[in-house]
């Protein structure tokens, strides 16, 4: 059970870099670096079914994750979340195979735990001094928790108006919380400067190669949970894009290994009306996005006005015949009630947004009710109690 990581690779020009030192973005093109694995060797040496008997955790896929030394793994039980087959929503929508991947059950209540566990573990293996994390929301709480668990100092940088829940979970785990005037990009600039000064590892979304690897495990899990089959469509609330990019990469790796066959699922990005740079770029046929001015939405995970890895998100959507659409905050909040009332799953507004997207795409006949569809509830509604008025809605 050891990693088959072979090197890092620039996602633009393909130049390779050794993984024995921590690098953030690619020095050649200043773009995203991907972790690459020796898949030929892995395919020869490991049987996919041997992974299934291991404990339910994302680390059951250790061969396809970037950490060599099992002793370096910083874990709080991330991953191994249920893929819940919808009964009541499926019936209401006339669907036969609708699933909800409930990532709200992760440590710190969101799927951010997966990416942060992977990145913090790799950084521990390579012996860092500490971590910096710019975040508009849930990534802060995850970084603080895994920072605490690792015993390394963690400095979090958040916009002043970041949600209370995220500020508190950062403080309670003993991280230094720096409130920054401005938006996430301003927080990012400060985090990078401090990281440079102190020799800390900066955990900014896709400005290091390992968080996407952790999130890739969501894709590995759903195919395993579906009996080594890919669904027809994946609906994903998209902010920085780590999840979509990671899963698209993960399915490619499984296809190359011969562990699954067929076509990748259509990747469908759902964004908020008040911050939809990927939708605009997709509709325009562009390969990258433009800054979305005055970004606002109550779904904090979606308030990413200019994703660094926009080109990779757009590639995953287009290459799989997917699409991108935006929904309003109102619709998301209604769908929080709807998902909780129908299935007993209390979703984050981001997760609820996928249900709104699904209904629109069924109406538009972009999706067929007979297709198998996975909605990603990326976080727990318990972190967003202020959005719930207490009134029952029908
Ligand atoms: C961060 C976040 C997102 C967006 O995730 P990406 O993979 O970066 O696009 C969605 N939902 C929640 C709850 C989040 O915290």
């Amino acid at each position: 059970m050891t990693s088959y990581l072979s090197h890092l690779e620039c996602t633009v020009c393909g130049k390779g870099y050794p993984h024995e030192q921590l690098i953030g973005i690619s020095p050649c093109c200043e773009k995203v670096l991907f972790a690459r694995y020796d898949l030929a060797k892995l395919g020869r040496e490991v049987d996919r079914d041997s992974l299934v008997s291991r404990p339910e955790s994302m680390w059951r896929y250790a061969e396809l994750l970037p950490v060599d030394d099992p002793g370096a793994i910083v874990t709080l039980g991330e991953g191994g979340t249920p893929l819940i087959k919808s009964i009541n929503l499926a019936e209401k929508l006339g669907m036969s195979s609708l699933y909800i991947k409930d990532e709200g059950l992760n440590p710190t209540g969101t799927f951010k735990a997966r990416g942060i566990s992977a990145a913090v573990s790799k950084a521990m293996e390579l012996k860092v001094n500490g971590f910096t994390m710019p975040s508009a929301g849930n990534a802060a709480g995850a970084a603080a928790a895994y920072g605490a668990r690792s015993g390394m100092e963690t400095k979090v940088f958040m916009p002043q108006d970041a949600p209370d829940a995220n500020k508190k979970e950062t403080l309670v785990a003993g991280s230094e919380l720096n409130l920054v005037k401005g938006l996430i990009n301003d927080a990012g600039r400060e985090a990078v400067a401090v990281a440079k000064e102190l020799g800390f590892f900066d955990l900014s979304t896709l400005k290091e190669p390992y968080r996407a690897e952790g999130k890739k495990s969501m894709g590995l899990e759903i195919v395993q949970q579906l009996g080594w089959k890919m669904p027809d469509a994946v609906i994903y609330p998209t902010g920085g894009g780590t999840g979509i990019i990671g899963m698209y990469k993960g399915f490619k790796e499984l296809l190359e290994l011969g562990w699954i066959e067929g076509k990748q699922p259509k990747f469908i990005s759902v964004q908020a009306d008040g911050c939809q740079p990927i939708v605009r770029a997709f509709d325009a046929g562009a390969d990258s996005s433009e800054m979305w001015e005055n970004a606002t939405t109550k779904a904090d995970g979606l308030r990413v006005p200019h994703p660094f890895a926009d080109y990779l998100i757009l590639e995953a959507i287009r290459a799989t015949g997917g699409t991108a659409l935006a929904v309003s905050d109102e619709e998301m909040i209604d769908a929080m009630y709807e998902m909780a009332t129908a299935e007993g799953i209390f979703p984050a507004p981001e997760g609820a947004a996928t249900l709104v997207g699904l209904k629109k795409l069924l109406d538009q006949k972009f999706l067929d009710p007979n297709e198998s569809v996975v909605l990603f509830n990326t976080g727990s509604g318990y972190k967003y109690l202020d959005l719930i008025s207490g009134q029952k809605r029908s």
Side-chain angles (χ1 to χ4, degrees), residues 93 95 98 235 354-362 367 375:
L93 300 171
M95 296 180 73
L98 175 63
I235 309 189
T354 64
L355 174 56
V356 183
L358 170 66
K359 293 203 283 189
K360 289 185 197 257
L361 294 172
L362 287 169
L367 289 175
L375 304 181

Side-chain angles (χ1 to χ4, degrees), residues 94-314:
M95 296 180 73
S96 49
S97 304
L98 175 63
Y99 298 87
I100 300 168
K101 180 71 169 162
D102 192 6
E103 290 291 302
L105 295 166
N106 276 297
T108 71
T110 75
F111 73 143
K112 291 287 193 300
R114 295 181 189 256
I116 300 298
S117 175
V120 165
S121 299
K122 188 66 189 175
M124 289 299 285
E125 183 173 72
L126 298 178
K127 310 231 183 316
V128 285
N129 297 330
F131 302 101
T132 55
M133 165 59 94
S135 169
N138 292 315
Y146 286 86
R149 175 81 173 167
S150 73
M152 301 304 290
E153 195 180 342
T154 307
K155 294 176 187 289
V156 168
F157 297 80
M158 299 184 100
Q160 276 167 340
D161 65 348
D164 240 23
N166 301 125
K167 289 179 187 163
K168 285 182 178 166
E169 64 180 344
T170 299
L171 289 170
V172 81
S175 282
E176 179 185 294
L177 174 59
N178 301 279
L179 294 176
V180 177
K181 266 209 191 109
L183 285 175
I184 176 72
N185 36 325
D186 303 297
R189 249 190 314 275
E190 280 200 31
V192 169
V194 171
K196 214 170 179 179
E197 188 186 317
L198 301 176
F200 281 25
F201 190 48
D202 181 53
L203 294 166
S204 300
T205 302
L206 288 155
K207 291 191 176 168
E208 56 73 41
Y210 302 115
R211 281 174 65 191
E213 294 303 297
K215 291 210 180 159
K216 173 177 90 177
S217 66
M218 297 190 291
L220 308 183
E221 260 171 40
I222 60 173
V223 296
Q224 187 215 306
Q225 288 168 317
L226 292 171
W228 299 105
K229 285 202 173 66
M230 289 178 284
D232 295 317
V234 162
I235 309 189
Y236 188 85
T238 306
T242 342
I244 279 203
I245 292 167
M247 286 192 278
Y248 176 63
K249 178 176 185 287
F251 293 148
K252 269 195 183 171
E253 289 168 358
L254 294 183
L255 285 164
E256 199 175 321
L257 281 168
W259 288 5
I260 54 175
E261 48 190 45
K263 244 176 41 183
Q264 284 236 14
K266 295 183 272 247
F267 275 102
I268 296 163
S269 255
V270 181
Q271 296 204 296
D273 274 350
C275 182
Q276 40 168 317
I278 294 299
V279 179
R280 184 167 63 185
F282 179 78
D283 287 345
D287 294 331
S288 62
S289 68
E290 277 165 40
M291 177 79 169
W292 189 272
E293 300 296 340
N294 304 315
T296 121
T297 167
K298 295 193 163 97
D300 298 286
L302 305 186
R303 202 161 59 129
V304 183
H306 194 197
F308 180 66
D310 50 7
Y311 62 108
L312 296 173
I313 304 172
L314 289 159

